[in-house]
Amino acid sequence: MKDIIIEQFKSFLEKIAEFLPNIFTGIVLIVVGFLIAWLLRMLITRAGQILKLDILTERVGLIQIIHKSGIKDPFSKLFGKLIYWVVLISFIIMGLNAFQVPAVENILSTFLLYLPNVIVAGIILFLGYLLGNFLGRAALIASVNAGLAVSGLVGRLVKYTVFIMAVAMALELLGIGEDTVLIAFAIVFGGVVLALAIAFGLGGRDAAKEYIDKMLKEEKEEDKDEIQHL
Amino acid sequence: MVRAVQAGFAKYFSDKKVILINSDGGSTDGTREIVEKTVINDFQPLLINQKQNLLSKIITPYHGIPGKGSAFRMVFEIARELGVKACAVVDADLRSITPEWIELLIRPVLEHDFDFVSPYYLRHKYDGTITNSIVYPLTRALYGRRIRQPIGGDFGFSGRLAEFYLTKDVWESDVARFGVDIWMTTTAVANGFKVCQAFLGAKIHAPKEPSSDLSAMLTQVVSALFMLMEEYENKWKGIKATNPIPMFGFQFSAGLEPIHVNIERMINMFRLGIKELGDIIKDILSDESFKGLKETAKLSPFSISDELWARVIYDYAVAWHRKVMSKEHILKTLTPLYLGKVASLVIDMADSNANEVEERLEALCTTFERLKPYLIERWG
């Protein structure tokens, strides 16, 4: 009995002794990863400032759109942070892998296989958000300058259409209800168009007539506007 | 136009060597052939005794980016190569040009040592509203010279100024496409060239398609103004006062025919802009200006004060300078606000004669001058 217990205990200690280097390696990898990520963040942020990426992104209007989403950092700092997290997560994954625990390995391998899709889906969502805001604002300004009373609606319609398309693409990429998402999107989008057509064609016949009459009348009046702006 | 230029040469510069240049952007409407064939054979009906034996013409396509700026560049280059003393540029589709225009644009350069002759046209009191409400008050306050129509389009200039224009590296920029008018005027003024004005009378162009987009037009003019503000920041910041410039030509006035202006539509556009673009505009304007515009939208009778308008234009210049968002978006949001100011000016000037209109615009200009420290402070 005593021997069995001692044997079991020895076996347990041996397993711990076998496992300890793995834990140590894993922890070292994570710590080193943290240091590398921190260093890269510093270098990339500084390089971005030297290369005047902040001014460039301001000029093309990208950073203003990002600021609108609530993120207030300049682009170089933001890019540095992104690299920091990508590097840190990579090292954490390597560190966990170094533990050589089958259950953790399985979860990691599944996660790793899925990770590229998650990253690409995230990028699509982010770009969709930026593009939606930019195009929505452009459509809003153009509609106001054209004198459309429904300018706000036009701007929002453009913005959310781009958002929804980005979400549909991201979900399809993640394999979440691939066909369902596409069909739902088609039904919703088609439905909106059909509803508008019916509203103008049948339900809002009088309103549409009144609106068109008003537009034509306005156009006639505008033709008489003889002012030369230049 | 070609006949008017030829008559102008014959009548006023018969003892000089002259040349007519058609800087063509590849037009397909027969302009080149017309310029080539058009000639005055009989000067008697024009009461011109002196005449040149031959009018030399250069009809050449310009190269580079399509636009008025590239066409002017070709003229500058020919002027440099020929070593000319004076040049005049006029639009090819002018209907109201007379031989006297040539004299008025060239003689101040030849005989009075001026480098740049800006046009002064006789216009209806409601016309030229972009010039009256933005370009004239702003350029006057910035550069200190009272050039009444800085974007007139027809200019006279010296050979040395043409050479100076060519030293500027702008020919691949927007100046080549549009904005060359304000660029020429500002470059001459900001670099200390001698400038004057010439009273040319009415300016009438050939009828065009009524599709000119106000928003695009306003964006082009204002973006050229703001681009020049960046370039000449060190010059305009130091200018504290404005001075009148000499005027040549016989000034006359004409009766004002009533023209139709849809004020209500303009005010509605302004209100729509404040309502729908408020979230964007408040990122462009100072809090005080934005609040002022919101209150103005509720006013009856409608009026945008000169002080508020000057602050709005200065805020837009600062927003452009600081790049608070896409430059095109900044400028395009100005259209409804501009229409509001036009409506306000039209209401103000409804019963005014030409002199009273000028007095009204003088008040607007002095407000821009008084508030210049506000611009300098915000510009940074």
Side-chain angles (χ1 to χ4, degrees):
Chain A
M1 181 71 181
K2 187 185 170 188
D3 288 344
I4 292 168
I5 290 169
I6 289 167
E7 196 58 36
Q8 286 295 324
F9 188 68
K10 273 171 78 179
S11 164
F12 174 71
L13 283 177
E14 276 169 11
K15 277 183 183 167
I16 294 266
E18 262 177 42
F19 192 56
L20 265 179
N22 294 345
I23 290 179
F24 181 72
T25 311
I27 289 170
V28 167
L29 271 171
I30 290 169
V31 171
V32 168
F34 173 75
L35 289 173
I36 291 174
W38 180 78
L39 195 68
L40 275 176
R41 185 176 69 177
M42 291 247 301
L43 287 174
I44 284 167
T45 306
R46 188 79 195 111
Q49 284 163 352
I50 291 167
L51 292 170
K52 296 184 176 169
L53 278 182
D54 296 339
I55 295 169
L56 189 74
T57 48
E58 260 185 28
R59 275 192 191 150
V60 298
L62 179 68
I63 201 67
Q64 289 84 4
I65 301 167
I66 295 172
H67 285 179
K68 281 270 178 191
S69 66
I71 302 164
K72 296 292 175 197
D73 291 332
F75 185 79
S76 53
K77 198 174 174 186
L78 205 62
F79 193 55
K81 274 185 180 175
L82 182 74
I83 297 298
Y84 171 84
W85 282 109
V86 169
V87 172
L88 186 61
I89 289 170
S90 305
F91 272 89
I92 288 172
I93 290 166
M94 280 194 280
L96 291 174
N97 217 19
F99 291 168
Q100 291 183 356
V101 179
V104 175
E105 277 177 352
N106 282 339
I107 292 168
L108 280 179
S109 64
T110 315
F111 177 70
L112 281 175
L113 280 174
Y114 203 58
L115 193 62
N117 288 356
V118 174
I119 292 170
V120 176
I123 291 170
I124 287 172
L125 281 178
F126 182 64
L127 291 179
Y129 180 77
L130 298 183
L131 195 67
N133 268 330
F134 187 83
L135 294 180
R137 189 162 68 188
L140 172 66
I141 295 170
S143 308
V144 168
N145 288 341
L148 288 182
V150 289
S151 309
L153 182 69
V154 173
R156 282 193 294 276
L157 201 67
V158 170
K159 184 165 112 174
Y160 292 121
T161 303
V162 177
F163 282 175
I164 291 168
M165 282 175 76
V167 170
M169 282 169 71
L171 288 176
E172 194 192 346
L173 197 74
L174 292 173
I176 300 170
E178 289 170 42
D179 294 338
T180 318
V181 169
L182 268 178
I183 292 165
F185 177 70
I187 289 171
V188 170
F189 197 70
V192 169
V193 174
L194 190 65
L196 284 172
I198 291 170
F200 263 90
L202 295 170
R205 198 165 46 186
D206 293 339
K209 186 177 178 300
E210 196 181 318
Y211 181 68
I212 290 164
D213 284 348
K214 199 180 161 195
M215 276 204 330
L216 289 173
K217 195 180 161 197
E218 273 178 8
E219 267 177 22
K220 277 177 195 163
E221 278 173 8
E222 276 174 27
D223 287 343
K224 288 181 197 164
D225 211 338
E226 294 160 335
I227 201 164
Q228 284 183 14
H229 293 274
L230 265 185
Chain B
M1 200 280 292
V2 176
R3 283 198 188 93
V5 173
Q6 192 183 357
F9 285 159
K11 191 172 179 183
Y12 298 106
F13 302 107
S14 57
D15 57 333
K16 300 276 190 285
K17 267 177 142 179
V18 293
I19 191 160
L20 187 146
I21 301 164
N22 169 223
S23 185
D24 194 278
S27 57
T28 53
D29 57 358
T31 306
R32 295 177 59 143
E33 289 73 23
I34 292 170
V35 175
E36 207 168 337
K37 287 175 187 165
T38 306
V39 67
I40 302 173
N41 293 316
D42 185 6
F43 283 88
Q44 284 305 318
L46 299 169
L47 302 174
I48 298 170
N49 294 322
Q50 299 283 329
K51 65 170 182 171
Q52 282 123 348
N53 290 329
L54 188 69
L55 174 66
S56 304
K57 294 175 188 172
I58 296 178
I59 299 164
T60 175
Y62 62 77
H63 303 290
I65 299 167
K68 189 175 175 180
S70 296
F72 275 24
R73 183 191 188 186
M74 175 63 80
V75 174
F76 300 153
E77 279 174 349
I78 293 171
R80 182 178 59 186
E81 293 307 313
L82 297 177
V84 303
K85 286 184 182 162
C87 277
V89 280
V90 290
D91 285 343
D93 66 342
L94 280 170
R95 292 287 177 269
S96 58
I97 185 169
T98 64
E100 283 63 43
W101 281 38
I102 303 304
E103 187 200 16
L104 287 164
L105 291 174
I106 288 179
R107 201 176 290 284
V109 178
L110 279 184
E111 293 180 7
H112 299 274
D113 206 27
F114 282 99
D115 287 298
F116 185 75
V117 187
S118 175
Y120 191 118
Y121 309 107
L122 182 66
R123 306 202 69 177
H124 191 279
K125 64 179 177 181
Y126 296 152
D127 281 344
T129 37
I130 294 179
T131 301
N132 291 347
S133 64
I134 301 174
V135 184
Y136 174 46
L138 187 60
T139 47
R140 173 175 153 163
L142 289 174
Y143 305 104
R145 309 308 305 272
R146 296 178 196 167
I147 300 179
R148 181 65 183 79
Q149 292 170 8
I151 51 173
D154 309 300
F155 304 106
F157 49 89
S158 64
R160 63 174 170 265
L161 182 55
E163 271 194 58
F164 184 77
Y165 284 145
L166 287 171
T167 63
K168 296 283 170 184
D169 184 23
V170 293
W171 306 108
E172 300 302 320
S173 73
D174 284 345
V175 168
R177 275 186 285 271
F178 51 81
V180 71
D181 299 331
I182 189 65
W183 178 82
M184 282 173 70
T185 307
T186 307
T187 304
V189 171
N191 290 286
F193 285 92
K194 268 185 83 180
V195 296
C196 66
Q197 298 178 105
F199 187 87
L200 302 177
K203 183 184 187 181
I204 301 162
H205 279 280
K208 285 180 185 167
E209 290 292 312
S211 57
S212 54
D213 176 7
L214 169 64
S215 185
M217 205 155 64
L218 186 66
T219 300
Q220 288 179 5
V221 172
V222 179
S223 70
L225 271 173
F226 290 170
M227 186 193 75
L228 288 159
M229 283 179 76
E230 299 269 11
E231 187 178 346
Y232 292 112
E233 180 184 342
N234 293 333
K235 303 222 171 173
W236 60 258
K237 274 186 172 174
I239 293 166
K240 307 269 185 247
T242 68
N243 297 303
I245 58 168
M247 170 84 90
F248 292 96
F250 180 73
Q251 290 184 63
F252 57 91
S253 59
L256 290 175
E257 284 180 23
I259 62 169
H260 182 268
V261 184
N262 192 339
I263 298 174
E264 197 186 326
R265 189 187 130 261
M266 290 182 185
I267 296 172
N268 286 341
M269 286 284 281
F270 172 79
R271 289 186 173 136
L272 181 69
I274 294 295
K275 183 182 157 215
E276 297 291 353
L277 301 178
D279 282 345
I280 303 171
I281 290 173
K282 77 176 178 204
D283 287 342
I284 296 168
L285 300 178
S286 67
D287 292 343
E288 191 187 350
S289 306
F290 184 59
K291 198 177 150 203
L293 283 181
K294 274 175 75 176
E295 282 165 8
T296 300
K298 297 173 202 157
L299 279 181
S300 183
F302 183 80
S303 173
I304 297 179
S305 72
D306 288 352
E307 173 142 351
L308 178 58
W309 181 243
R311 283 182 194 277
V312 166
I313 295 301
Y314 285 157
D315 288 341
Y316 266 81
V318 171
W320 164 281
H321 173 59
R322 292 186 185 163
K323 303 173 187 77
V324 298
M325 64 180 76
S326 147
K327 284 182 173 176
E328 187 163 342
H329 287 182
I330 294 176
L331 294 178
K332 291 254 160 126
T333 59
L334 184 59
T335 308
L337 310 186
Y338 159 76
L339 285 173
K341 184 59 186 173
V342 173
S344 177
L345 283 173
V346 170
I347 293 167
D348 275 2
M349 302 188 305
D351 300 319
S352 306
N353 59 31
N355 286 337
E356 287 163 346
V357 167
E358 284 308 309
E359 280 169 20
R360 176 70 191 80
L361 295 177
E362 183 64 23
L364 177 65
C365 290
T366 49
T367 309
F368 268 77
E369 289 166 22
R370 184 167 50 79
L371 289 174
K372 193 173 171 184
Y374 169 82
L375 168 69
I376 295 171
E377 187 194 327
R378 291 208 67 216
W379 187 277

